[in-house]
Amino acid sequence: MSFYDATVPAYLQILNSLSGLLTKAEVHCEAKKIQPDVLLAARLYPDMLPLSKQIQLATDFAVRGCARVTHSEVPSTPDTEKTFEELRQRLARTVDYVKAFKPEQFEGADTRDVTFPMGPDKTMTLKGQQFISNFSLPQFYFHAAIAHGILRHNGVEVGKRDYMGAN
């Protein structure tokens, strides 16, 4: 399996599933007469980030993962989304960005050095394979799973098949 095949499809699968999860969440809000901003601000625990930020971070890890491992410019994406539709648009832009990468850009990327920020005054350098496997994908999946958990916790009827994008 190529490094591209181990990376890009993983991001795309979950990015697309997150869009479906947001659609189900919006339908849930309409059916239950819940203000959307209430669900978008929901957290699993008070010290955790809200649903909207979980989606934003998942997109950030997909974009930054592909950009950094291919030594492409890391685009800036301000966190301005306040509605389900705006978050779905962000997911769609992220899908388009990730889809634009070509397999050739990933050739040799598994052994390339990837330097990335680890806080305001610190960086870390890993080989591309370790960066994707041990940092970028775990962070990406964490925020996607927390978004799913927030929706489940708040009564949105979603399950594992929704998270996997199989519905």
Side-chain angles (χ1 to χ4, degrees):
M1 177 187 309
S2 73
F3 192 50
Y4 171 91
D5 289 335
T7 305
V8 170
Y11 288 128
L12 292 175
Q13 176 186 2
I14 300 301
L15 290 167
N16 285 313
S17 77
L18 287 171
S19 185
L21 290 171
L22 289 178
T23 297
K24 284 192 169 195
E26 188 171 32
V27 168
H28 175 81
C29 285
E30 290 168 7
K32 302 292 185 184
K33 308 286 189 252
I34 298 169
Q35 291 297 318
D37 56 322
V38 171
L39 191 52
L40 290 167
R43 303 165 187 257
L44 285 180
Y45 194 76
D47 69 350
M48 293 180 77
L49 296 170
L51 173 63
S52 59
K53 187 66 175 174
Q54 300 294 343
I55 300 294
Q56 291 163 340
L57 285 166
T59 62
D60 289 346
F61 279 104
V63 165
R64 293 173 186 164
C66 289
R68 287 191 174 117
V69 81
T70 61
H71 290 183
S72 302
E73 185 175 334
V74 177
S76 173
T77 310
D79 297 335
T80 58
E81 298 82 14
K82 298 192 182 321
T83 67
F84 287 114
E85 182 55 30
E86 289 172 348
L87 286 168
R88 279 194 301 273
Q89 289 172 7
R90 181 180 178 126
L91 285 161
R93 286 190 306 273
T94 304
V95 164
D96 289 344
Y97 178 82
V98 172
K99 278 184 176 179
F101 283 92
K102 304 292 180 228
E104 334 39 278
Q105 291 175 274
F106 283 77
E107 288 177 12
D110 54 329
T111 59
R112 257 184 236 145
D113 283 343
V114 177
T115 301
F116 56 100
M118 287 295 290
D121 300 321
K122 187 177 177 189
T123 62
M124 179 179 270
T125 301
L126 298 172
K127 295 296 182 190
Q129 191 276 324
Q130 285 80 24
F131 170 74
I132 291 294
S133 297
N134 299 343
F135 182 77
S136 186
L137 280 174
Q139 293 277 0
F140 171 74
Y141 285 128
F142 173 83
H143 292 291
I146 294 299
H148 178 272
I150 289 169
L151 295 177
R152 282 284 302 222
H153 179 72
N154 283 277
V156 180
E157 293 184 23
V158 293
K160 187 192 298 187
R161 291 181 56 79
D162 296 293
Y163 175 78
M164 298 299 294
N167 280 348

